[in-house]
């Protein structure tokens, strides 16, 4: 899990950043956590010393009343976390070139005068960081995003075992390795979306071909690798045999 640090001298803006970061992390299901929000750079430095590792840093440039500004703080962070993600949140967009002089390799600059644009910048940075981490880890995986209440979950497609109609109109139940999710959806749309890797074996089941363990041709049952079973229609026997 990537720790997120915020250093901002304005308490109101700092609270707004913290609230929005936590909201985005929850909604998008990012593997991140806001661990410290402070107006004092020394507190950020000490926290990074106490928990060394790669992190995400949203830093104000002008830290009033403090012994160092955001650039100097960035230099101190770089000594401890050379691969961390530095993002400057500042009212002075023309200071962006200064990071080159300090050799800071900042990911982005977010102008904080407009709350909507600041939130858009934060949202963009978290997305970019997540994509970079996936690529670095060799995770060129396809994800299926589904909204459950006010939360959007991202499930790797290769971990989805099958989709099942939930018995209520427009309700689908997703069966994954470690999760079961009930959501509003269309089995027909899912069938079209995943036609390369899934097969509609029954009006109630859309199964991941790679997750099939055994076929019971007589009983017309499919044993999935997680131990669950699905029925298949009589007319799907040939198609199933061709796909597995």
């Amino acid at each position: 899990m990537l720790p997120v640090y915020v250093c901002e001298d304005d308490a109101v803006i700092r609270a707004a950043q913290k609230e929005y970061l936590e909201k985005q992390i929850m909604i998008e299901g990012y593997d991140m956590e806001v661990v410290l929000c402070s107006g004092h750079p020394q507190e950020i430095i000490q926290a990074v010393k106490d928990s060394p590792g790669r992190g995400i840093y949203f830093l104000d440039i002008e830290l009033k009343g403090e012994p160092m500004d955001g650039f100097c703080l960035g230099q101190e962070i770089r000594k401890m976390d050379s691969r961390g993600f530095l993002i400057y949140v500042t009212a002075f967009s023309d200071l962006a070139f200064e990071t080159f002089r300090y050799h800071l390799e900042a990911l982005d600059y977010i102008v904080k005068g407009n709350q909507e644009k600041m939130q858009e910048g934060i949202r963009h940075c978290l997305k970019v960081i997540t994509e970079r981490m996936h690529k670095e880890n060799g995770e060129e995986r396809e994800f299926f995003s589904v909204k459950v209440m006010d939360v959007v979950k991202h499930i790797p497609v290769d971990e989805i075992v099958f989709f099942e109609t939930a018995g209520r109109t427009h309700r689908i139940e997703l069966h994954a390795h470690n999760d079961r999710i009930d959501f509003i959806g269309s089995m027909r749309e899912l069938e079209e979306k995943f036609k390369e890797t899934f097969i509609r074996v029954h009006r109630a089941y859309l199964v991941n071909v790679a997750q099939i363990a055994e076929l019971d041709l007589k009983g017309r049952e499919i044993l999935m690798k997680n131990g669950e079973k699905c029925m298949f229609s009589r007319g799907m026997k040939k198609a199933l045999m061709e796909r597995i």
Side-chain angles (χ1 to χ4, degrees):
M1 181 174 291
L2 283 173
V4 180
Y5 302 88
V6 175
C7 192
E8 164 62 55
D9 63 1
D10 187 311
V12 175
I13 295 176
R14 186 167 68 242
Q17 288 179 15
K18 180 177 185 290
E19 181 182 3
Y20 191 71
L21 279 164
E22 290 178 335
K23 178 182 176 182
Q24 281 302 114
I25 290 169
M26 181 189 71
I27 289 174
E28 298 296 338
Y30 291 139
D31 191 21
M32 305 170 184
E33 180 184 8
V34 179
V35 298
L36 178 62
C37 293
S38 173
H40 308 295
Q42 290 296 342
E43 290 185 1
I44 301 293
I45 291 170
Q46 190 59 52
V48 178
K49 283 182 179 177
D50 292 341
S51 300
R54 196 175 194 181
I56 303 170
Y57 309 88
F58 288 87
L59 309 178
D60 187 12
I61 291 179
E62 188 180 39
L63 297 168
K64 297 172 185 174
E66 296 298 327
M68 65 177 70
D69 61 14
F71 294 132
C72 292
L73 174 56
Q75 283 185 312
E76 293 301 310
I77 290 170
R78 276 282 174 254
K79 293 175 184 177
M80 299 177 286
D81 184 1
S82 61
R83 298 173 66 237
F85 300 97
L86 296 181
I87 300 108
Y88 281 100
V89 186
T90 175
F92 308 101
S93 57
D94 57 338
L95 289 177
F97 75 94
E98 286 291 299
T99 56
F100 293 99
R101 187 162 67 86
Y102 285 92
H103 306 288
L104 292 174
E105 298 179 27
L107 175 70
D108 206 351
Y109 306 86
I110 299 172
V111 179
K112 62 183 176 182
N114 182 301
Q115 184 173 349
E116 186 176 331
K117 287 192 174 297
M118 183 179 74
Q119 291 180 349
E120 181 183 339
I122 290 173
R123 190 165 61 246
H124 172 73
C125 285
L126 296 183
K127 182 181 178 182
V128 168
I129 290 168
T130 299
E131 290 173 351
R132 284 196 186 181
M133 293 297 291
H134 284 162
K135 287 180 180 178
E136 287 178 18
N137 295 329
E139 296 177 8
E140 295 295 332
R141 303 171 78 184
E142 181 183 1
F143 287 80
F144 175 63
S145 300
V146 57
K147 186 174 181 182
V148 183
M149 302 294 285
D150 294 324
V151 177
V152 176
K153 292 192 174 187
H154 306 280
I155 302 96
V157 172
D158 58 11
E159 292 186 6
I160 299 173
V161 181
F162 62 91
F163 295 96
E164 177 185 10
T165 55
R168 290 175 290 161
T169 305
H170 304 305
R171 303 300 302 192
I172 306 291
E173 189 170 84
L174 181 155
H175 295 245
H177 286 177
N178 302 305
D179 215 347
R180 275 198 183 189
I181 302 170
D182 182 274
F183 65 98
I184 296 174
S186 163
M187 193 69 96
R188 184 175 296 177
E189 290 178 4
L190 290 171
E191 182 181 3
E192 178 61 27
K193 180 180 179 67
F194 297 118
K195 60 185 177 183
E196 299 299 324
T197 50
F198 285 66
I199 182 169
R200 183 78 175 271
V201 297
H202 187 279
R203 66 177 183 176
Y205 298 105
L206 178 66
V207 305
N208 186 341
V209 175
Q211 294 292 333
I212 295 175
E214 294 179 10
L215 288 182
D216 178 353
L217 299 177
K218 186 176 181 180
R220 297 211 315 271
E221 278 189 340
I222 304 170
L223 176 65
M224 309 305 292
K225 289 181 180 179
N226 69 342
E228 293 189 88
K229 294 181 179 181
C230 302
M231 297 288 295
F232 68 87
S233 302
R234 194 184 306 275
M236 290 304 301
K237 177 181 175 180
K238 182 180 178 182
L240 266 170
M241 295 294 289
E242 290 175 348
R243 291 286 297 271
I244 64 172

